[in-house]
C-alpha cells in the first residue's frame, strides 16, 4: 500500500517515540505513501 520508503524515512520511524508511533497507528488507514508518514511525524 505505502510503496517505496527511503532509508531516511525508515530510520525516522525506527527512532519514533511512543506518542509518534501511536499517531502513525491511529492514522494508518490514511497513509498512502512516504509523504503522508512525514506529514504525520512533522506534526510533533
Amino acid at each position: 500500500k505505502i510503496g517505496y520508503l527511503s532509508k531516511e524515512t525508515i530510520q525516522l520511524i525506527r527512532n519514533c517515540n511512543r506518542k509518534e508511533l501511536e499517531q502513525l497507528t491511529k492514522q494508518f488507514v490514511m497513509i498512502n505513501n512516504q509523504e503522508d508518514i512525514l506529514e504525520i511525524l512533522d506534526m510533533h
Side-chain angles (χ1 to χ4, degrees):
K1 174 183 171 181
I2 295 172
Y4 173 79
L5 293 177
S6 68
K7 290 180 182 180
E8 292 82 9
T9 300
I10 292 169
Q11 192 61 40
L12 183 65
I13 294 168
R14 286 182 177 153
N15 291 333
C16 283
N17 62 39
R18 183 180 180 135
K19 184 176 180 180
E20 291 167 328
L21 288 174
E22 287 175 0
Q23 191 66 25
L24 281 174
T25 302
K26 288 178 187 176
Q27 297 189 30
F28 182 75
V29 295
M30 298 173 61
I31 296 173
N32 294 308
N33 53 44
Q34 177 172 283
E35 288 75 27
D36 293 341
I37 293 171
L38 297 176
E39 282 183 35
I40 292 168
L41 293 178
D42 280 344
M43 294 172 58
H44 300 286

